[in-house]
């Protein structure tokens, strides 16, 4: 029996149901991004009708990346997913199914080889060449949605102004000058998601170096980032971002940049083809959306029609159950069938990585993109496979250097040198995993000394005050609670807390002394992770500095303001009841909702903050980028004041209302002013509450996460990180579990010691009368 015939049997309707009477349930979590999940859920129901013995549990979620990463780290593998994981490591560990044998079989319709139904080159991204263990090579990723990066423009506007689509970079910048002369911003680019600007860098670089040079760049080849051709590509990017972008672009989200283009504030914008689906229903009547390919250099080495693409790849897990694996393969053969591919193009209005889709399947808004695909001789991937070392480079060094390049803080040559230094450090680390460069020896020693001093001071004060407390306890008429009686009260809760919190915490603390990517085996690393953080990592010290800022600066503003308004309400100011509700309202929203609200308020164009300031006569704030990395932490102060003031106000007010009125009456009889009453009666008697408030603010400053994470679109630069965002990035983007746990241990120690120090410093001993 031939292999082709075998796969023909697999493709036959009812094959799985007839051979495997036991029902099969497939677990397929998918990422909900620019395409939504409705199409995939509908396809799953259609497949179940075709294969009655198979149930497809397909669910979409915007946070599926984090959810699946945690599952995979725990060894709970789905049947298939498109979540972003460390697939090279999973492949090496044998957890990903090799699709090459199945791709050599028939497609869903049974009239062609399955691999021949895909667009040229799209299967190469996750293809491994033949070796002694596999003479035919392997393919691990299956593409479906096929995004094309282009420059979008308004065809009607271009036509009315006599602007033509440029072919070369020289023509493109000449066009930008003509657009700028009309008083219109040439390009809208989202600075909050600054990696969108990488599309220009990739396009220019690939055009100069071709596929071999681009592969060398992505494999961290020595000299690839200081190559003059890479520097030329960086020069193009910097020229665009420093001269031709819309005012306030550094503080714009990708949606804000797209809306600025649609509303006519900018003549062009850059995005992938999911832009059309995202903006569905938002394009004004008569808007003629056009898409142009990126310009090329006159001496470029690639075909000008080559496209920059980014496919969504699905990976099937090798779970050891042939029936489930065949069912999963069968579902994806159905997903990539002609009917499904064409329906995706019609309903989602986005390209797919399959030959079956025709230009007529797209809407008018996608006409230009469809024509570019039809004329393209090939494409290069905007997001090639990455190892852990590449992820570390891309996620941090590139983020930092990109920001400085695009804002004109460094020249292209220095940009290349910084990236080359990061690549060199990663290569050296692979050769010597225990290598640590001492960049922050003095700072590390100072931090350890401060921590040791605080521990010593807390211990000393506790022992010196212990005798007084012991004598006070002896005078208590109730006496000490018997041990057995106390255990009956707190024992069950303590047992649960220990089993669910303390024990897992101790186990996870042990991870800080290991190397682990969450997928393979753990290896002992000793103190390496701590030494790397304290002695070598620049990002750790940036994050610690930002945490200290968030501990101190908001507290210095929030506490006095909350105390002031609490005093006014306590004194019976007019409208006190309304103020109680108004000040507490932000706490009802929650941190995420409040942050998203402020993102909208801080929008450079049309945002509440800039609009109000301009109306008040501060015209310099027109288009001001509050969320730019250089202004981010100053912009946090109003948010902290708005969110934290109400909670602390309620704390202080409750404490003030517990003060006997007789104290104030006696003070008035003695002729004490309101201010003197506040400082001699109110403030001393609410001191314990102030201590609690200060501890909350210290813990909040050290644990700050969601606000920074959201305001930086989950991609903070080194100067914007906090310890919490650095921990999450290290764990879920770089897959350095041991290092991330070491950051968590440092945070725990700082929170514990910081809180204890604040309480010890502000606590007032009870005075025996």
């Amino acid at each position: 029996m031939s292999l082709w015939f075998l796969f023909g049997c697999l493709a036959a309707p009812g094959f799985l149901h007839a051979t495997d009477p036991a029902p099969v349930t497939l677990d397929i979590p998918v990422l909900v991004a620019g395409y939504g999940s409705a199409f995939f859920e509908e396809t799953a129901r259609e497949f179940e009708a075709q294969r009655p013995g198979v149930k497809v549990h397909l669910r979409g979620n915007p946070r599926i990346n984090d959810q699946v990463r945690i599952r995979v780290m725990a060894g709970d593998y789905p049947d298939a997913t498109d979540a972003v994981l460390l697939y090279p490591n999973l492949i090496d560990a044998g957890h990903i199914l090799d699709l090459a044998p199945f791709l050599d079989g028939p497609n869903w319709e049974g009239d062609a080889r399955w691999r021949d139904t895909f667009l040229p080159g799209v299967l190469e991204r996750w293809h491994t060449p033949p070796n002694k263990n596999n003479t035919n090579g392997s393919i691990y990723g299956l593409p479906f949605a096929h995004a094309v990066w282009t420059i979008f423009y308004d065809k009607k506007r271009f036509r009315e102004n006599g602007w033509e689509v440029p072919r070369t970079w020289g023509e493109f910048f000449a066009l930008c000058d003509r657009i700028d002369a009309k008083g219109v911003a040439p390009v809208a680019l989202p600075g909050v998601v600054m990696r969108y600007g990488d599309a220009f860098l990739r396009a220019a670089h690939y055009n100069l170096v071709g596929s071999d040079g681009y592969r060398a760049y992505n494999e961290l080849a020595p000299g690839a980032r200081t190559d003059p051709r890479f520097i030329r590509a960086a020069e193009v990017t910097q020229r665009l971002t420093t001269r031709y972008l819309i005012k306030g672009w550094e503080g714009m989200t990708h949606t804000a940049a797209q809306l600025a283009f649609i509303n006519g504030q900018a003549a062009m914008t850059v995005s992938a083809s999911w832009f059309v689906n995202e903006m569905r229903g938002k394009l004004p009547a008569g808007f003629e959306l056009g898409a142009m390919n990126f310009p090329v250099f006159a001496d470029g080495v690639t075909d000008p029609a080559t496209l920059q693409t980014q496919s969504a790849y699905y990976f099937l897990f090798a779970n050891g159950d042939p029936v489930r694996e065949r069912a999963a393969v069968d579902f994806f053969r159905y997903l990539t069938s002609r009917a499904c591919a064409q329906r995706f193009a019609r309903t989602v209005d986005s390209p797919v990585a399959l030959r079956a889709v025709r230009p007529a399947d797209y809407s008018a808004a996608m006409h230009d993109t469809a024509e570019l695909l039809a004329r393209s001789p090939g494409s290069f991937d905007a997001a090639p496979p990455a190892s852990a070392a590449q992820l570390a480079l891309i996620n941090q060094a590139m983020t930092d250097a990109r920001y400085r390049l695009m804002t004109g803080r460094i020249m292209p040559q220095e940009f290349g040198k910084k990236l080359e230094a990061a690549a060199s450090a990663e290569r050296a680390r692979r050769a010597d995993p225990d290598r640590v460069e001492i960049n922050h020896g003095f700072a590390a020693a100072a931090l350890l000394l401060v921590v040791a001093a605080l521990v010593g001071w807390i211990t000393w004060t506790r022992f010196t005050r212990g005798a007084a407390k012991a004598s006070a306890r002896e005078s208590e008429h109730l006496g000490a609670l018997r041990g057995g009686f106390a255990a009956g009260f707190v024992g069950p809760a303590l047992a649960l807390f220990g089993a669910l919190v303390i024990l897992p915490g101790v186990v996870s603390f042990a991870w800080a002394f290991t190397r682990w990517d969450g997928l393979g085996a753990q290896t002992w690393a000793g103190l390496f992770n701590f030494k790397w953080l304290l002695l070598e990592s620049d990002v750790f010290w940036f994050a610690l500095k930002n945490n200290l800022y968030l501990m101190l600066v908001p507290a210095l503003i929030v506490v006095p303001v909350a105390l002031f308004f609490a005093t006014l309400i306590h004194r019976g100011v007019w409208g006190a009841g309304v103020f109680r509700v108004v000040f507490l309202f932000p706490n009802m929203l929650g941190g995420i909702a409040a942050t998203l609200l402020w993102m909208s308020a801080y929008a450079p164009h049309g945002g509440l903050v800039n609009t109000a300031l301009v109306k008040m006569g501060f015209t310099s704030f027109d288009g001001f980028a509050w969320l730019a990395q250089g202004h981010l932490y100053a912009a946090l102060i109003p948010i902290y004041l708005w969110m934290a003031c109400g909670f602390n106000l309620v704390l202080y007010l409750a404490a003030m209302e517990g003060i006997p009125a007789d104290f104030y009456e006696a003070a008035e009889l003695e002729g004490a002013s309101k201010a003197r009453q506040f400082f001699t009666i109110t403030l001393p008697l609410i001191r314990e509450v102030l201590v609690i408030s200060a501890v909350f603010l210290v813990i909040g400053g050290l644990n700050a996460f969601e606000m920074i994470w959201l305001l930086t679109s989950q991609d903070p630069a080194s100067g914007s990180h906090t310890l919490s965002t650095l921990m999450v990035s290290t764990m879920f983007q770089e897959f350095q579990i041991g290092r991330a746990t070491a950051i968590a241990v440092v945070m725990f120690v700082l929170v514990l010691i910081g809180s204890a120090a604040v309480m010890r410093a502000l606590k007032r001993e009870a005075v025996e009368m």
Side-chain angles (χ1 to χ4, degrees):
M1 182 172 59
S2 68
L3 184 63
W4 185 272
F5 177 76
L6 175 61
F7 282 104
C9 291
L10 279 171
F15 173 78
L16 287 167
H17 179 65
T19 307
D20 305 300
V24 175
T25 300
L26 299 178
D27 178 21
I28 306 178
V30 299
L31 177 65
V32 174
Y35 308 116
S37 62
F39 167 82
F40 299 99
E41 292 170 357
E42 181 182 349
T43 301
R45 304 291 81 78
E46 292 176 353
F47 177 75
E48 290 173 346
Q50 296 278 346
R51 297 287 191 266
V54 181
K55 295 295 181 183
V56 182
H57 182 208
L58 188 148
R59 63 194 185 283
N61 193 309
R63 307 299 304 164
I64 209 70
N65 285 337
D66 297 334
Q67 296 171 9
V68 174
R69 285 166 184 165
I70 294 173
R71 286 185 55 185
V72 169
M73 289 176 186
D76 178 19
Y77 303 111
D79 291 290
T81 186
D82 63 342
V84 179
L85 301 172
L86 199 60
Y87 287 110
N89 292 34
L90 287 169
I91 291 169
D92 292 340
H95 294 306
I96 303 299
L97 189 65
D98 180 10
L99 299 173
F102 301 97
L103 288 164
D104 287 328
N107 61 342
W108 177 260
E109 293 81 5
D111 58 3
R113 195 168 62 152
W114 191 16
R115 71 166 65 231
D116 295 334
T117 63
F118 291 90
L119 293 175
V122 295
L123 293 174
E124 295 301 314
R125 178 183 176 188
W126 290 100
H127 171 262
T128 59
N131 53 54
K132 62 180 181 180
N133 298 322
N134 186 344
T135 57
N136 297 320
S138 301
I139 295 176
Y140 294 100
L142 196 68
F144 185 68
H146 189 62
V148 180
W149 283 88
T150 57
I151 301 172
F152 289 97
Y153 67 101
D154 183 352
K155 299 169 89 170
K156 181 179 180 181
R157 191 175 199 174
F158 267 54
R159 187 169 57 250
E160 291 173 349
N161 287 277
W163 300 333
E164 296 182 356
V165 172
R167 191 186 67 84
T168 66
W169 287 109
E171 294 174 359
F172 177 79
F173 289 124
L175 171 64
C176 288
D177 286 328
R178 294 177 62 191
I179 295 173
D180 189 51
K182 291 282 187 177
V184 178
V187 181
L189 185 72
V192 174
V193 196
M194 202 170 284
R195 57 183 175 271
Y196 267 59
D198 290 351
F200 291 97
L201 180 67
R202 289 190 298 261
H205 183 218
Y206 185 84
N207 178 239
L208 289 172
V209 300
S211 59
D212 292 338
Y214 190 66
R215 186 181 308 109
Y217 169 84
N218 287 306
E219 292 175 354
L220 307 185
R225 286 158 178 76
T226 52
D227 187 312
R229 294 170 295 181
F230 181 74
I231 303 304
R232 285 181 66 190
E235 288 171 350
V236 163
T237 306
Q238 187 175 70
R239 182 178 177 183
L240 170 71
T241 56
T242 55
R243 294 177 58 180
Y244 299 114
L245 296 186
I246 188 171
K247 185 179 181 181
W249 71 276
E250 290 182 55
M252 298 179 77
T253 63
H254 84 284
T255 301
Q258 292 169 354
L259 290 175
F261 160 65
I262 291 174
N263 295 333
Q265 295 170 285
M268 297 175 283
T269 191
V270 63
S271 184
S273 46
W274 56 65
F275 167 81
V276 177
N277 187 55
E278 289 178 336
M279 293 294 108
R280 182 176 295 180
K282 299 177 182 178
L283 296 176
F287 194 96
E288 299 179 28
L289 185 65
M292 67 176 82
N293 198 7
F294 290 90
V296 297
F297 291 99
D299 57 345
V301 299
T302 61
D303 191 311
T306 302
L307 294 176
Q308 181 179 168
T309 60
Q310 184 175 335
S311 294
Y313 284 83
Y314 290 88
F315 296 84
L316 281 63
F317 284 79
N319 53 35
D321 184 347
V323 174
R324 292 175 64 87
E325 291 174 359
R326 290 201 306 268
V329 170
D330 212 30
F331 171 73
F332 282 95
R333 286 196 301 135
Y334 179 72
L335 178 66
T336 57
S337 65
R338 291 191 189 93
C340 288
Q342 292 169 1
R343 181 162 54 86
F344 181 84
R346 289 193 298 269
T347 58
V348 183
D349 211 13
S350 186
V352 292
L354 296 154
R355 299 176 186 270
V357 179
R358 305 153 298 185
D361 293 320
Y362 299 107
S363 69
M366 279 292 296
H367 178 268
D368 284 6
T369 302
E371 290 295 325
L372 290 173
L373 278 167
R375 295 197 305 266
S376 175
S379 63
F380 70 96
D381 206 308
S387 66
Q390 289 169 295
L391 284 171
L393 170 68
I394 294 169
N395 287 341
Q396 201 55 68
M398 183 62 178
T399 297
D400 298 340
R402 177 201 299 124
Y403 168 70
R404 294 171 183 169
L405 174 77
M406 292 186 178
T407 55
R409 287 170 168 80
I410 59 174
M411 298 302 293
Q413 292 79 5
E414 188 178 354
F415 172 73
K417 289 179 181 178
K418 286 183 177 294
L419 292 183
E420 186 63 32
S424 177
E426 293 298 340
R427 292 193 299 268
R429 197 177 313 284
R430 280 185 285 183
D432 181 10
D434 295 323
R435 173 176 173 268
V436 175
E437 291 185 5
I438 301 178
N439 299 327
H440 304 281
F442 178 79
L447 177 63
L448 294 175
L449 184 63
V450 169
V451 170
L454 286 174
V455 171
W457 175 70
I458 293 169
T459 305
W460 178 78
T461 55
R462 181 172 181 81
F463 278 110
T464 55
R465 297 174 183 176
K469 289 186 177 181
S471 62
R473 283 196 298 268
E474 289 176 1
S475 65
E476 293 175 359
H477 65 280
L478 292 177
L481 194 65
R482 293 191 301 274
F485 195 60
F489 280 107
V490 303
L494 182 61
L496 285 173
F497 184 77
L500 299 178
V501 177
I502 297 177
L503 183 59
V506 171
V507 172
S508 63
F509 273 22
W511 295 351
F513 302 94
T514 65
R515 286 190 182 89
W516 188 35
D517 60 10
L519 307 173
Q522 289 178 304
T523 59
W524 181 254
L527 294 174
F528 170 78
N529 291 318
F530 294 98
K531 290 191 293 185
W532 188 89
L533 288 172
L534 294 174
L535 298 175
E536 181 172 342
S537 175
D538 297 330
V539 188
F540 172 81
W541 289 101
F542 279 124
L544 183 59
K545 180 194 70 175
N546 290 333
N547 278 112
L548 291 174
Y549 175 92
L550 293 177
M551 286 170 54
L552 299 176
V553 177
L556 293 175
I557 298 175
V558 168
V559 171
V561 171
L563 199 55
F564 172 74
F565 283 109
T567 303
L568 291 181
I569 295 174
H570 178 58
R571 290 292 184 177
V573 70
W574 181 84
V578 176
F579 283 127
R580 290 173 188 256
V581 177
V582 170
F583 280 112
L584 196 58
F585 171 73
N587 295 93
M588 300 172 61
L589 293 178
I592 295 177
T595 303
L596 294 176
L597 183 65
W598 275 92
M599 284 185 73
S600 176
Y602 275 141
H605 300 278
L608 177 64
V609 175
N610 282 354
T611 301
L613 289 172
V614 171
K615 292 289 186 182
M616 293 167 60
F618 300 100
T619 56
S620 60
F621 285 97
D622 183 23
F624 187 80
W626 287 99
L627 299 183
Q629 294 176 16
H631 307 141
L632 179 63
Y633 276 82
L636 292 179
I637 300 303
I639 304 179
Y640 264 93
L641 183 61
W642 186 73
M643 292 179 62
C645 187
F647 175 76
N648 288 281
L649 181 149
V650 171
L651 283 180
Y652 304 155
L653 186 59
M656 290 176 184
E657 292 181 345
I659 300 174
D662 296 347
F663 290 5
Y664 294 105
E665 292 175 1
E668 287 179 358
L669 291 175
E670 294 293 332
S673 65
K674 298 292 185 183
R676 186 172 179 82
Q677 292 177 32
F678 173 78
F679 286 106
T680 59
I681 299 176
T682 306
L683 205 57
L685 292 178
I686 67 169
R687 185 171 180 176
E688 296 295 332
V689 176
L690 289 175
V691 171
I692 295 172
S693 173
V695 171
F696 283 159
L697 290 169
V698 167
I699 295 174
L702 282 170
N703 290 335
F705 170 72
E706 59 190 19
M707 197 181 301
I708 304 298
W709 194 246
L710 291 173
L711 293 177
T712 58
S713 290
Q714 306 174 35
D715 189 24
S718 289
S720 302
H721 266 299
T722 62
L723 290 177
S724 294
T725 60
L726 179 60
M727 179 185 68
V728 171
S729 295
T730 303
M731 177 171 284
F732 294 116
Q733 294 181 1
E734 299 177 16
F735 296 90
Q736 300 281 352
I737 310 303
R739 187 177 299 168
T741 309
I743 298 172
V745 171
V746 172
M747 290 176 60
F748 172 79
V749 171
L750 293 177
V751 168
L752 181 65
I753 295 175
S755 301
V758 170
M759 292 181 69
R760 182 61 61 184
L762 298 180
K763 189 173 182 181
R764 180 169 63 96
E765 294 295 330
V767 178
E768 296 294 334
M769 301 298 295

